[in-house]
Amino acid sequence: MEPKIQSTSWNPEIIENAILKKWEDEDIYHFAIDDESKPAFVIDTPPPYPSGRPWHIGAAAHYAQIDMIARVARMNGKNVLFPIGIDRNGLPVEIYTEKKYKVRMRQMDRQKFLDLCKVALDDLEAEMIQIMKRMGLSGNFKDYYRTDSDEYRALTQATFIELWKQGLVYPANRPNNYCPDCATTIADAEIVYNEIPTKLVYMKFKVRDKKGEEEKKKNNNDNTDDTLIIVASTRPELLFACQAVIVNPEDDRYKHLQGSHVILPLFNREVSIVPHPSAKPEFGSGAVMVCSYGDQNDVQLFRELGLEEIVALNENGFTTEAAGQQYVGLRVNQARTKIIKDLKNAGLIEKEENITHRTPLCERSKTPIEIIPLHDYYVKQIEFVPQLKELAFKLKFHPDMHRQILLKWLDSINIDWPVSRRRFYGTEIPIWYCNSCKTPNLPPPDGKYYRPWKDKPPFEKCEKCGSVGSGFTGEDRTFDTWMDSSISPLYVTKFGKDKKKMFDYVYPTAIRPQAKDIIRTWLHYSMLRCVQLTGKIPWHEAWIMGFGIDEKGEKMSKSKGNVIDPFPVIQKYGADTFRFWSASEANLGYDFRCSEQRIAGAQKFLSKLWNIGRFLSSFEVIGERQAPPHLAPSDRWILAELARVIKECRRGYSEYNFFVPANAIRDFTWHLFAAHYIEMVKARAYTANINDGNNKNDEDERSKRSALYTLHRCFSTILSLIAPVIPFIVEELWTKMYSSETTIHKQALLRKEEEELEEEEDEDAQMTKYTRAIIDFNSMIWNKKKETISKETGKPLSLKDPIDIPVPPELEQFEQDLKAMHNLTTK
Ligand SMILES: [Zn+2]
Ligand SMILES: [Zn+2]
């Protein structure tokens, strides 16, 4: 028989593009909103962030695996919605736009800047969508969404207005994290810590008066007490905002100075020395200055000691009037340099010490953050922590260990979530302030998109003072972008839209796939917001993937030059190769190594699969009904092994850990099915089709049918099981070999019989006990032939040459196949 598959090699570029077109034309991944006969399965897909070129190869791998989740669910009979969105709000977009067009956001017209951002985004977005499609994502590209669309932003605003009405939002003026480079408030969740080298500066403070000596001083009018105390600080530039010096109450060096006053060098202001346990005797000199604000501990101390705040930096990151004429209007670093220099000149520095200091940095710009008093809007989160912790245990995590990251974060939360940002490219805070009484007025949650910095308010009368005609001033700040992305599960389920029809059917969604590093942001904020708005956790499961790292285990970054652009790689090796590499590379939840070499290696399996398919495609397909009632022992053996692999794959798929099926299928297909089984039954499979009623031929015919049935049963099961991982090559082999009418991607992952096979402990399962012996025997023969030099040719025996070795008794039932396979001459 002519092989149904002609091409001797797998050409992904041609075949994959043709299949893509077919899938698109037939719209096979359509989510049927009105088909409630099937359970809905909505994936809360992470909308990727287009912040620069190229798109990270690790991110592309991540999306390839999310697609596998969608395909598994679909093949398990679910009605799957796999939304595709692009996250387009926020700072990285602004920074990218400033760089690309060489402009400064705050120095140009806001609307013009926003228009530029959109153009920059469109380019990046087009590229990402192209890669996602080329990878074979079975997502809903037809209605892909953008978080900066009017519709999306309107939902962000409507949900904020709803929270406001529930009293879950409040304004407050309090010390907050501030990034001088981004010129905006930063939430705790957006801070990373790094050990950074810095100088610990030992400054000489003059002690003004000692406890008990006050009287003496008054009497003598003696102001020349030159006792000094050395205060060590990593933030000498905040000297002018110092309101106290603390020493540890147990520190014997300073016991006699507790309650005394010191004079701030250069600034000649007097502050007191206060005992406090947070001063560590072993750090620096043991005496620490408390400034507004050097760090979070200072914030704590100002509150605790009732100190009066001095605003050291303004909202643009410059020193304020409080720094005095000499130092006003400087950047933090400038102020630092100048103050250190002046201290040195005045002989007020004892020494400087190089240390590394655990420094809080802005996650985006990696700038050390400052803490300054800012007016911000806060969404309540502290009071939700106990509820969220409880819900965290109801959420099924894949892998389970990553629940800890969320719990640890929840335990560390001690302030509410500041959501206002002093940026431009984001969803506007929908507030207008009454010009008469300054009260914030909010529009109704009517699903409209509001831009208070440029739009007229949708009301005329102040709801507080009732003034009409005094006018309103629009808020010009935007939201933290997590305010937008945290409602993705509500947006994709059409929350607040045609609620009855869609929302009730699909919410809570099935699964949130996401990266490990945004558990404390995206995962936490989504849970918080959805619980506040719907009372329910938005998903049943959370799937957490590790990072793509380079060959040496290092994070990929442009500065290191180890970034790999996924698109050329996918074009060169094909989407299936890329997908198979991504699945087989690392266990779920762990970081995985990315290199072109590793990806190229994955291609070998696809070639193997293609070759096996091509070989088998020349044999008649024997279905269940035409199969003989009793199968030959070798056939029963490989089917027992197949059952084991099915079990393994089923376990992997139920955990969405594609590492398990990818490796199980590769090992089985390559190292057992092809290497041993196919070789063992080739002779039977090639038996000519003769059926003349002769008993001997009847027996041969049965034996042949048993082999053909088993070969195809194994191969079609392999295709079905690996279809979610490598959808293109499987589709091609499937339609050519088994069903030209239907796509495999709408078939069940496992046939009914396979499902049953696993239920009952099949008696044939014990056939797997022969596996080791079969492999060992075959390998032994192959080696023997290699070692034996033929007397006729003077070369090692070929695999077809006869050899005189007996089949061991334990493999007696496989004797016929083994003899034919190796041309064993022994009787
Ligand atoms: Zn920053
Ligand atoms: Zn008013």
Side-chain angles (χ1 to χ4, degrees):
M1 190 175 134
E2 273 287 291
K4 290 175 191 158
I5 291 170
Q6 298 283 343
S7 171
T8 51
S9 67
W10 160 240
N11 185 334
E13 184 64 20
I14 294 169
I15 295 176
E16 289 182 357
N17 280 312
I19 290 176
L20 269 181
K21 182 157 185 332
K22 185 184 107 174
W23 287 342
E24 198 163 331
D25 290 348
E26 294 174 7
D27 193 17
I28 69 166
Y29 304 119
H30 180 70
F31 168 71
I33 185 174
D34 41 11
D35 183 7
E36 296 191 21
S37 64
K38 289 185 194 167
F41 188 95
V42 176
I43 299 172
D44 184 16
T45 323
Y49 209 112
S51 59
R53 275 198 179 87
W55 199 28
H56 194 292
I57 193 164
H62 192 162
Y63 283 84
Q65 295 215 4
I66 296 171
D67 179 61
M68 295 172 203
I69 296 177
R71 289 178 183 277
V72 168
R74 213 175 277 118
M75 291 178 82
N76 279 332
K78 306 277 170 53
N79 189 6
V80 175
L81 174 60
F82 177 11
I84 300 290
I86 304 284
D87 189 4
R88 306 193 2 146
N89 289 313
L91 198 83
V93 172
E94 294 170 340
I95 293 171
Y96 179 78
T97 305
E98 285 187 324
K99 250 196 202 153
K100 181 167 179 181
Y101 297 103
K102 301 191 173 53
V103 294
R104 299 292 295 171
M105 179 178 93
R106 292 181 203 280
Q107 285 159 18
M108 69 185 288
D109 176 66
R110 181 161 176 169
Q111 188 57 54
K112 279 191 185 136
F113 182 74
L114 298 185
D115 294 343
L116 277 187
C117 287
K118 272 201 200 312
V119 177
L121 279 163
D122 288 349
D123 285 354
L124 293 171
E125 175 184 294
E127 191 175 71
M128 285 169 116
I129 295 273
Q130 187 189 20
I131 297 175
M132 288 199 262
K133 281 190 172 168
R134 183 62 189 82
M135 281 196 298
L137 300 201
S138 57
N140 185 8
F141 288 98
K142 271 189 184 162
D143 312 308
Y144 81 87
Y145 70 87
R146 298 163 161 175
T147 59
D148 66 345
S149 68
D150 288 5
E151 197 188 351
Y152 199 106
R153 285 184 170 174
L155 183 63
T156 301
Q157 291 180 336
T159 56
F160 173 79
I161 296 166
E162 182 59 39
L163 294 188
W164 181 282
K165 285 207 295 197
Q166 289 180 30
L168 295 176
V169 180
Y170 63 93
N173 209 323
R174 55 168 75 153
N176 211 335
N177 309 310
Y178 176 84
C179 171
D181 280 337
C182 304
T184 188
T185 306
I186 303 283
D188 278 359
E190 295 167 293
I191 288 177
V192 290
Y193 288 86
N194 225 339
E195 295 287 337
I196 288 189
T198 187
K199 279 205 165 69
L200 183 61
V201 182
Y202 290 71
M203 294 170 284
K204 297 175 185 170
F205 284 39
K206 205 183 255 182
V207 179
R208 170 71 180 247
D209 46 29
K210 292 181 193 168
K211 198 160 70 173
E213 286 181 319
E214 195 134 341
E215 279 308 303
K216 191 174 105 194
K217 188 200 78 186
K218 243 185 202 165
N219 297 338
N220 297 351
N221 203 12
D222 177 11
N223 246 347
T224 58
D225 188 344
D226 56 359
T227 311
L228 293 175
I229 180 169
I230 304 298
V231 177
S233 175
T234 56
R235 304 293 313 265
E237 67 274 22
L238 291 178
L239 191 54
F240 64 93
C242 173
Q243 286 287 46
V245 167
I246 55 166
V247 294
N248 194 287
E250 304 304 321
D251 195 334
D252 286 335
R253 290 173 294 179
Y254 304 120
K255 271 197 172 146
H256 66 291
L257 289 177
Q258 293 178 14
S260 302
H261 291 85
V262 292
I263 315 264
L264 299 178
L266 299 184
F267 297 94
N268 293 323
R269 193 159 47 76
E270 197 176 299
V271 302
S272 40
I273 300 179
V274 185
H276 195 277
S278 72
K280 304 259 176 316
E282 67 279 6
F283 180 77
S285 63
V288 181
M289 55 176 202
V290 183
C291 311
S292 53
Y293 293 97
D295 57 18
Q296 282 298 345
N297 193 44
D298 281 347
V299 177
Q300 203 75 31
L301 286 165
F302 264 73
R303 233 172 261 160
E304 210 181 306
L305 306 176
L307 302 174
E308 196 188 325
E309 177 180 87
I310 292 174
V311 180
L313 299 173
N314 67 20
E315 290 189 3
N316 296 317
F318 292 99
T319 49
T320 60
E321 304 282 339
Q325 277 205 332
Q326 297 252 17
Y327 307 104
V328 69
L330 300 179
R331 286 245 167 231
V332 174
N333 279 339
Q334 294 171 319
R336 183 183 172 84
T337 314
K338 192 149 191 247
I339 286 178
I340 291 179
K341 189 176 143 218
D342 292 351
L343 283 171
K344 267 189 190 153
N345 289 342
L348 293 171
I349 290 187
E350 192 197 52
K351 61 170 175 173
E352 289 175 89
E353 200 175 280
N354 291 321
I355 59 163
T356 58
H357 187 59
R358 190 166 172 269
T359 312
L361 304 176
C362 165
E363 195 180 33
R364 305 257 196 229
S365 62
K366 302 289 182 285
T367 316
I369 60 129
E370 295 296 337
I371 297 166
I372 62 177
L374 293 161
H375 175 275
D376 279 302
Y377 285 102
Y378 288 82
V379 166
K380 291 185 182 172
Q381 63 174 350
I382 296 173
E383 64 189 62
F384 287 90
V385 166
Q387 193 185 354
L388 293 177
K389 275 170 88 171
E390 212 182 295
L391 289 171
F393 284 98
K394 292 195 175 137
L395 181 61
K396 189 171 181 193
F397 274 81
H398 304 281
D400 197 58
M401 63 180 180
H402 286 341
R403 180 184 290 108
Q404 279 312 316
I405 303 177
L406 177 63
L407 292 174
K408 224 178 126 192
W409 174 248
L410 288 170
D411 275 333
S412 75
I413 288 176
N414 55 25
I415 65 162
D416 286 326
W417 175 18
V419 296
S420 38
R421 295 288 181 273
R422 289 154 181 84
R423 304 296 305 183
F424 288 175
Y425 202 82
T427 300
E428 291 84 352
I429 300 177
I431 291 179
W432 280 266
Y433 301 92
C434 168
N435 285 344
S436 169
C437 72
K438 309 292 175 222
T439 300
N441 279 243
L442 276 71
D446 53 9
K448 287 200 187 116
Y449 171 41
Y450 295 104
R451 290 162 299 178
W453 61 274
K454 66 181 280 196
D455 295 346
K456 278 203 185 120
F459 37 71
E460 284 176 358
K461 189 172 140 188
C462 171
E463 60 177 23
K464 179 78 185 290
C465 69
S467 115
V468 182
S470 47
F472 292 89
T473 304
E475 172 63 73
D476 61 3
R477 284 173 293 176
T478 58
F479 283 121
D480 177 359
T481 54
W482 294 115
M483 278 291 277
D484 300 292
S485 28
S486 59
I487 54 163
S488 64
L490 300 180
Y491 185 82
V492 300
T493 55
K494 305 229 183 296
F495 173 72
K497 288 237 145 171
D498 46 356
K499 203 169 167 160
K500 220 46 257 132
K501 203 168 168 214
M502 170 104 172
F503 186 75
D504 291 353
Y505 170 43
V506 300
Y507 187 89
T509 64
I511 193 165
R512 155 62 69 84
Q514 67 159 71
K516 196 167 65 176
D517 57 336
I518 51 173
I519 289 179
R520 60 184 191 168
T521 46
W522 196 34
L523 191 89
H524 161 62
Y525 287 142
S526 301
M527 272 177 80
L528 174 73
R529 298 261 277 132
C530 294
V531 166
Q532 286 172 337
L533 291 157
T534 70
K536 283 182 194 163
I537 192 167
W539 335 276
H540 296 293
E541 301 177 87
W543 179 87
I544 312 292
M545 197 171 166
F547 307 127
I549 47 180
D550 78 357
E551 192 66 359
K552 290 176 209 140
E554 285 185 47
K555 229 184 139 188
M556 295 180 150
S557 71
K558 274 187 202 138
S559 55
K560 282 187 197 148
N562 58 356
V563 175
I564 302 174
D565 183 353
F567 198 44
V569 171
I570 293 167
Q571 282 177 311
K572 183 168 169 191
Y573 297 99
D576 277 337
T577 298
F578 182 77
R579 296 170 64 111
F580 190 76
W581 158 76
S582 132
S584 60
E585 185 63 40
N587 238 324
L588 177 61
Y590 293 91
D591 295 348
F592 54 98
R593 293 181 189 232
C594 309
S595 76
E596 189 173 336
Q597 202 185 349
R598 281 167 187 266
I599 295 167
Q603 203 177 32
K604 290 189 192 125
F605 172 64
L606 298 183
S607 301
K608 186 75 192 173
L609 191 70
W610 184 260
N611 289 339
I612 298 170
R614 184 167 181 275
F615 172 72
L616 294 182
S617 76
S618 59
F619 295 105
E620 181 191 355
V621 176
I622 304 285
E624 211 77 42
R625 287 203 193 122
Q626 305 122 297
H630 301 290
L631 299 178
S634 308
D635 305 333
R636 286 168 50 215
W637 162 68
I638 197 70
L639 288 175
E641 279 293 339
L642 179 70
R644 185 188 53 74
V645 172
I646 290 172
K647 216 173 189 167
E648 184 79 354
C649 290
R650 189 202 279 275
R651 179 178 70 79
Y653 281 136
S654 72
E655 295 162 0
Y656 304 113
N657 184 358
F658 307 107
F659 178 75
V660 176
N663 285 292
I665 291 282
R666 173 169 54 194
D667 287 348
F668 172 78
T669 307
W670 200 332
H671 304 302
L672 214 54
F673 180 66
H676 295 274
Y677 176 73
I678 292 182
E679 296 304 322
M680 282 162 76
V681 300
K682 251 183 192 166
R684 273 197 281 142
Y686 277 125
T687 310
N689 285 318
I690 312 162
N691 195 342
D692 58 1
N694 177 313
N695 279 347
K696 171 79 174 70
N697 285 331
D698 265 359
E699 179 56 36
D700 283 353
E701 181 65 19
R702 267 201 297 279
S703 174
K704 172 181 177 149
R705 296 187 85 80
S706 176
L708 294 187
Y709 163 73
T710 309
L711 283 166
H712 285 297
R713 162 95 180 262
C714 285
F715 195 66
S716 61
T717 305
I718 288 168
L719 291 183
S720 179
L721 281 174
I722 200 68
V725 178
I726 43 175
F728 294 96
I729 190 170
V730 163
E731 181 85 318
E732 182 72 4
L733 291 168
W734 180 265
T735 46
K736 288 248 161 69
M737 292 173 68
Y738 299 118
S739 168
S740 55
E741 301 294 303
T742 52
T743 165
I744 191 168
H745 301 296
K746 290 193 137 182
Q747 311 276 320
L749 188 60
L750 289 176
R751 300 179 310 167
K752 247 201 148 43
E753 311 85 72
E754 317 284 10
E755 301 254 3
E756 283 158 9
L757 197 84
E758 209 205 331
E759 315 275 274
E760 58 190 73
E761 248 335 297
D762 191 18
E763 63 177 274
D764 270 358
Q766 49 169 310
M767 292 295 281
T768 55
K769 74 181 175 196
Y770 298 109
T771 304
R772 192 69 254 162
I774 290 173
I775 293 174
D776 287 348
F777 180 73
N778 288 339
S779 310
M780 183 268 286
I781 305 273
W782 287 326
N783 282 332
K784 265 267 156 22
K785 286 191 175 176
K786 233 188 273 168
E787 288 162 8
T788 311
I789 303 298
S790 158
K791 280 175 194 148
E792 286 132 49
T793 64
K795 286 181 190 160
L797 294 181
S798 83
L799 293 180
K800 282 176 189 157
D801 283 333
I803 195 164
D804 181 7
I805 297 177
V807 172
E810 59 167 326
L811 296 180
E812 196 186 352
Q813 56 182 319
F814 307 103
E815 190 172 29
Q816 199 195 339
D817 286 341
L818 291 173
K819 282 175 93 168
M821 172 182 180
H822 297 295
N823 198 0
L824 303 178
T825 53
T826 325
K827 183 77 193 113

